[in-house]
Structures are given as C-alpha cells and as structure tokens.
C-alpha cells in the first residue's frame, strides 16, 4: 500500500466516507455496457446457478439452472447466455473506420466501438474465464453435441478474460476493482472485494457513516453476497430445499412448473440487490471525467476486438488450453510492457497519482524562473536548438546530473539535468536542457519552450514507445524450454470420447471435480 493511499484510508475512517485517490477516471466506460451478475453452486466446480444480465438497468434478464448438477441443463444455460452475449457483441460490428498505418502509406479498418462487460468482483471474472474454458472446445456434432452458439460463447468469454489481464484494458471490468482504483475506504483490501460494503463507504445512506453502512451490508439478510459465491445459510435453508423440490417433481408438470417459479423468484431476490449496486457503481464512475489517455487505451481494446472478430470469421480455432514456451514468453513480455505504460499514463493524467512518484523522488514540481528559448548548441557537426530553463522547487530532487526527465504537459520533449544547486532556504535550482518537440529549425515555435512563471512537473517516467522484444519462432524453441512443439497424436475413435483428451480441440468428457489437469473448469468440459 502506498503512503498516499494509507493516508486516504485514515482520512476515510475519520470522515466516515471514502476518500478520492484520483481526480480523473482511468478506465473507459461504455455508453451501453453489458452487466453480468453470476451465481455458482457451492461445492461444485464452477457449476453455474444463475446469472442476471442486461445492457441497461431496466433490461435485466434472469437465467437459471434449476439442477446445476445436470450437464444438459448447464449447457442449455450456456446456450441461453450466448443468446444474450453474442447479439450484444454483434451490435458493435456494423460500422468500421479506417486507421492510417505505416506512417500513412496504408490503412487498416477497425470497429468504431467495442463491447464492454461488467461483473461485480474479480471472482466474477474468474467465473467467466472458467465458463469460457469449459465451453470453447465443445462441438455441435458428435456423441455429445451442444448448441452451435455454446463453443462460440466460450471463445468470446476467453477473449474477454484474457483482456481483463491486460493492464489498462476496459473490455472486462470488475466493479470493485474499478471503484477502488479511484476511491480509498476505511476497510481492508479484502473487505473491499464485497461490493455492498464497498458502496456503503462510497455512498452511505442518510444517517449512516461508511463504517456503519458497510457493517450493515455485511448482513446477508440485508444485502446478499454479490456472487458468484452464495451465502451458506441461504444454501442450506432455502436453496437446497428449492432444488430438491424441483428434482422431486420430475413426473408432475404442474408441480415442476411451480417449483421452477419458486426457485426463479428465490434466485432473483439474491441477484436483484447486486444488480442495482452495479448500476450505482456505473453512475459513480461516470461522474468522473475521463483521463486524457483513456481513449487511447480503449483504441487498443477496439483493435483487439476487431482482430479477434476477424479471426473467428475466418474460421480460426479456439484459444489453446496452455500457451507454448514462446507464446507464454511473448504474452508475459506484452503484459509487462502494458503495465509499465499504464502506470506512466495514469501518472501523466492524474496529479494525485503523480504525487506518489513525487514522494519517492521520481518527480518534482517547480516554477520556471529563467528561460533561454533561443540557445543553440554548435559544438557538434551542425548547430541544433537546445533551449535551457531554470526550475526552482521546494521538493527534494533525487535525480542525478545528466538524468533525462519528462514533463506530462510536453511528453514528446526531453529535459536533461545540467546543474543542481541546493539553496539554504530549502529550495533547489535545477537547470534543464531541452530537446525534441520543438520542430526541426533553430527557432522554437511558440509554446514549445516553457516560459518564465510557468509551473511544471518533471519526472523520470517516460511515455515513449517501448519496442517489443525478439523471440524465436515456435519451431525454433530451444531445448531448455521443451524444444519445438510436437504434433498432437490423433485420438483413437475406438477408445471412446475420453481418448480425445490429447487433442486440444477435441471433446473431453470428465466427471465433475476431476479435471484432466487439475483445473476445476474441466469438471464439465
């Protein structure tokens, strides 16, 4: 936990309400997000129990699995969910735009917008990830056919789950993480994972402090858990009898319909409070202005959505169960680059985030007291424009002479530290030599060189382009990492469907709770 967040948490306890730790919104918020509130059956490996889904507060649609242990009902539930999710995705595929590439010598096309999924908490993301893993390898033909939309749903859910791991992506968001990115509460990080308690701190009811509202929200009789886990008391006292009543009425259509309606009402009562909290959270986030670089990160989500949609349209296969050595290294490298860029962009967009780096000495703020915008350095083969400015700051400057600094107001410009002169009054004079962002001539255009009296922030954080690393082709994988990937042996049809487990795209029929690699998703794959 950073120093400023710890301070904000202490202030939240004193004030009785959550404190802001951001001045802008650091994520994209779609005008029409698809909210999913899932529930899973306790004691089963990712067995879906119900989901409340919709793209507007008044469009909630409830899907339930009356007997979660029944595999046919599970996949029927997946088909119903696909009937909601897939048309929502297709609604973003009607209009494209041309994007210049290769310095304007060519263009590519991408969709003008992309879908966004919202779930209550990180466990909801895990639920969708395992649901996608469990369905994307299914087949619409063969011994155990499913609806053709089921494997397509699994592939898209896997796509969104993978985007959720990408720093700065807004394609799939957990509401608790989105809110705690912008506010600090007076409770622990674990307690912040409970959406009702978190919103109790952010928006307490009249007459309640944040702590009182959070404590009240912890009572399942007042506000049920936000899923996908359920309350054990609810499971034992209400859910289990309702599921048993539905199973016992198998031969009585009237009793079965009544049991289904009772179970449906029971699950709706569990999900409806979280549904309302999700849209309250959307309203709180929408009230914040977006950061300057949020739209650029959303462009990356649009690119990813366009690319995967084209992959699906071209008949590409589903995502593999596991990445190979090279693919895993490339993926890790890509995520590390994205994480570094995301941290820098947040600091550039938000003074409160930059304040964290000022505390660690990675940045300082000062006033320009002297400026020489016409200075030319003629010591090289040809003269170049190298203006100098003097910045006076009261903050500690931990950077050495010769270090390269950047300013969020002029990110394309570099500032090299020439002199550091500590003063007796606690002030430090920093002389900086500027390069870049001033054109190619020997005269700087107006506004490109800071003027006297301007207050600026300089930091070692750079938002410059980071080139990708070089990795071997998959067929050139070194022996230290398993060697080149071997071709998967063809399954023997005579041995039955279980023999197809060796093929990544083959049907796998594994008993509940006994995945072939220990993954609980395999329980009903």
């Amino acid at each position: 936990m950073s120093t400023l967040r710890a301070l904000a948490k202490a202030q939240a306890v004193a004030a009785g309400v959550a404190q802001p730790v951001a001045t802008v919104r650091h994520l994209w918020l779609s005008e029409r997000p698809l909210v999913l509130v899932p529930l899973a059956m306790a004691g089963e490996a990712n067995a879906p129990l119900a989901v409340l889904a919709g793209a507007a507060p008044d469009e909630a649609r409830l899907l339930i699995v009356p007997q979660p242990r029944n595999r046919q009902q599970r996949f029927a539930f997946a088909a119903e969910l696909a009937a909601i999710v897939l048309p929502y995705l297709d609604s973003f595929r009607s209009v494209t735009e041309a994007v210049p590439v290769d310095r304007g010598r060519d263009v590519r096309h991408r969709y003008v917008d992309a879908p966004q999924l919202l779930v209550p908490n990180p466990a909801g993301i895990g639920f969708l990830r395992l649901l996608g893993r469990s369905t994307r390898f299914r087949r619409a033909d063969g011994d155990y056919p499913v609806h053709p939309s089921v494997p397509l749903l699994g592939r898209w859910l896997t796509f969104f789950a993978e985007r959720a791991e990408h720093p700065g992506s807004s394609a799939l968001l957990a509401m608790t993480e989105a809110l705690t990115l912008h506010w600090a509460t007076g409770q622990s990080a674990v307690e912040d994972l409970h959406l009702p308690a978190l919103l109790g701190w952010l928006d307490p009811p009249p007459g309640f402090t944040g702590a009182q509202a959070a404590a009240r929200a912890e009572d399942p009789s007042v506000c049920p858990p936000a899923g996908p886990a359920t309350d054990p008391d609810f499971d034992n006292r209400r859910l289990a009898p309702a599921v048993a009543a539905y199973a016992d009425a198998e031969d009585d259509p009237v009793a079965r319909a009544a049991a289904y309606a009772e179970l449906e009402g029971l699950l709706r009562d569990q999900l409806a409070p979280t549904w309302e909290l999700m849209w309250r959270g959307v309203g709180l986030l929408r009230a914040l202005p977006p950061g300057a670089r949020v739209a650029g990160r959303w462009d990356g989500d649009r690119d990813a959505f366009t690319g995967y949609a084209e992959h699906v349209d071209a008949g590409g296969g589903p995502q593999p169960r596991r990445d190979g050595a090279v693919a895993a290294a490339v993926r890790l490298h890509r995520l590390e680059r994205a994480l570094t860029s995301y941290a820098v962009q947040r600091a550039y967009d938000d003074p409160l985030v930059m304040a964290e780096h000022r505390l660690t000495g990675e940045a300082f703020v000062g006033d320009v007291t002297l400026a020489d915008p016409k200075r030319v350095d003629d010591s090289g083969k040809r003269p170049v424009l190298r203006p100098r400015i003097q910045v006076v700051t009261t903050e500690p400057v931990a950077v050495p002479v010769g270090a390269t600094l950047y300013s969020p107001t002029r990110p394309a410009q570099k500032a090299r530290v020439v002199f550091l002169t500590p003063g007796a009054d606690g002030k430090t004079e920093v002389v900086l030599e500027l390069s870049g962002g001033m054109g190619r001539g020997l005269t700087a255009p107006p506004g490109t060189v800071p003027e006297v009296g301007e207050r600026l922030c300089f930091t070692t954080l750079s938002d410059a382009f980071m080139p990708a690393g070089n990795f071997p082709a998959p067929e050139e994988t070194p022996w230290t990492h398993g060697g080149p990937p071997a071709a998967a042996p063809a399954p023997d049809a005579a041995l039955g469907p279980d023999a197809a487990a060796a093929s990544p795209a083959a049907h796998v029929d594994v008993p509940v709770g006994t995945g072939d690699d220990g993954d609980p998703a395999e329980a009903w794959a």
Side-chain angles (χ1 to χ4, degrees), residues 28-413:
W28 183 267
L29 202 57
S30 173
E31 292 296 327
R32 193 167 56 92
L34 180 63
V35 173
L36 300 172
V37 183
L39 277 185
M41 184 176 184
E44 296 290 332
N46 204 57
L49 181 61
V51 67
L52 202 56
D58 56 351
E59 294 180 5
R61 180 179 173 185
L62 177 65
L63 306 178
I64 72 169
V65 183
Q67 181 47 267
R69 296 183 180 88
N70 186 298
R71 291 167 59 91
Q72 293 183 347
Q73 292 186 20
R74 291 184 181 186
F75 287 112
F77 164 85
E80 289 183 294
L81 183 59
I84 297 176
V85 174
L86 298 182
Y88 171 76
L89 303 183
D90 290 339
S91 67
F92 292 89
R93 302 186 59 187
S94 57
V95 183
T96 62
E97 63 180 6
V99 181
V101 296
D102 196 15
R103 298 184 178 182
R105 290 190 286 267
D106 198 0
V107 297
R108 61 181 174 84
H109 292 83
R110 71 180 175 201
Y111 297 118
V112 298
D113 201 1
Q116 183 180 56
L117 307 186
L118 302 180
V119 294
N121 46 44
I125 294 179
F127 177 90
L128 296 185
R129 178 182 67 83
L130 292 177
L131 182 60
R133 180 181 172 90
S134 302
T135 54
R136 69 178 186 264
F137 296 120
R138 302 299 303 188
R139 291 179 175 177
D141 54 7
D143 294 335
Y144 302 93
V146 297
H147 192 276
S149 64
V150 171
L152 183 58
L153 172 70
R155 295 168 65 178
W156 275 112
L157 292 183
T158 302
F159 164 79
F160 280 101
E162 291 180 347
R163 288 303 298 173
E165 298 176 358
H166 194 278
S169 172
S170 298
L172 172 58
L173 296 175
M175 183 57 67
T176 54
E177 291 183 338
L179 293 174
T180 54
L181 184 65
H182 301 87
W183 287 276
T185 68
Q187 60 187 8
S188 70
V190 174
E191 291 170 314
D192 283 341
L193 295 176
H194 185 46
L195 183 61
L198 176 60
L199 281 171
W201 277 97
L202 269 63
D203 188 20
F208 285 82
T209 65
Q212 292 171 341
R216 182 173 178 266
E218 294 285 353
D219 185 353
S221 63
V222 176
C223 191
T230 53
D231 176 53
D233 188 68
F234 165 78
D235 290 343
N236 296 327
R237 296 179 180 272
R238 306 184 65 187
L239 179 62
V243 172
Y246 178 84
D248 294 341
E250 182 177 1
D251 298 329
D252 188 343
V254 176
R256 195 171 181 83
Y260 184 91
E262 180 184 357
L263 183 58
E264 187 177 47
L266 194 64
L267 294 173
R268 184 181 295 276
D269 291 342
Q270 287 289 300
L271 293 171
T274 302
W275 176 264
E276 296 175 1
L277 294 178
M278 288 289 292
W279 291 104
R280 277 178 58 192
V282 169
L284 291 173
L285 291 171
R286 209 181 292 281
L288 292 174
R293 292 164 179 80
V294 169
R297 295 195 293 272
W298 182 245
D299 289 344
D301 284 324
R302 293 196 290 144
D303 287 335
F305 173 67
T306 302
Y308 194 70
E310 292 174 349
H311 171 79
V312 171
D313 292 344
Q319 301 91 336
R321 293 185 186 275
R322 301 177 187 86
D323 289 331
V326 175
V330 171
R331 176 178 174 80
L332 179 60
H333 178 66
R334 184 172 63 249
L335 294 179
E336 289 174 343
R337 292 172 60 215
L339 180 61
T340 301
S341 176
Y342 178 50
V344 174
Q345 290 184 5
R346 287 187 63 226
Y348 275 32
D349 283 350
D350 196 334
L352 272 181
V353 178
M354 182 62 79
E356 297 280 0
H357 300 281
R358 291 166 63 184
L359 286 175
T360 61
E362 295 178 284
F364 64 88
V365 173
D367 299 309
V368 179
T369 57
L370 294 174
D372 183 5
K374 299 181 180 180
R375 180 181 177 274
V376 174
D377 182 1
D378 56 2
S379 60
K381 294 182 179 181
R382 61 183 181 86
V384 290
L385 182 66
R386 289 294 182 266
R388 286 188 177 182
I389 61 173
Q390 178 178 276
V391 179
V392 177
T393 178
T394 58
E395 301 177 9
V397 181
V399 297
V401 173
T404 301
L405 305 180
Y406 305 87
S407 176
T409 57
R410 297 175 178 86
Q413 192 172 83

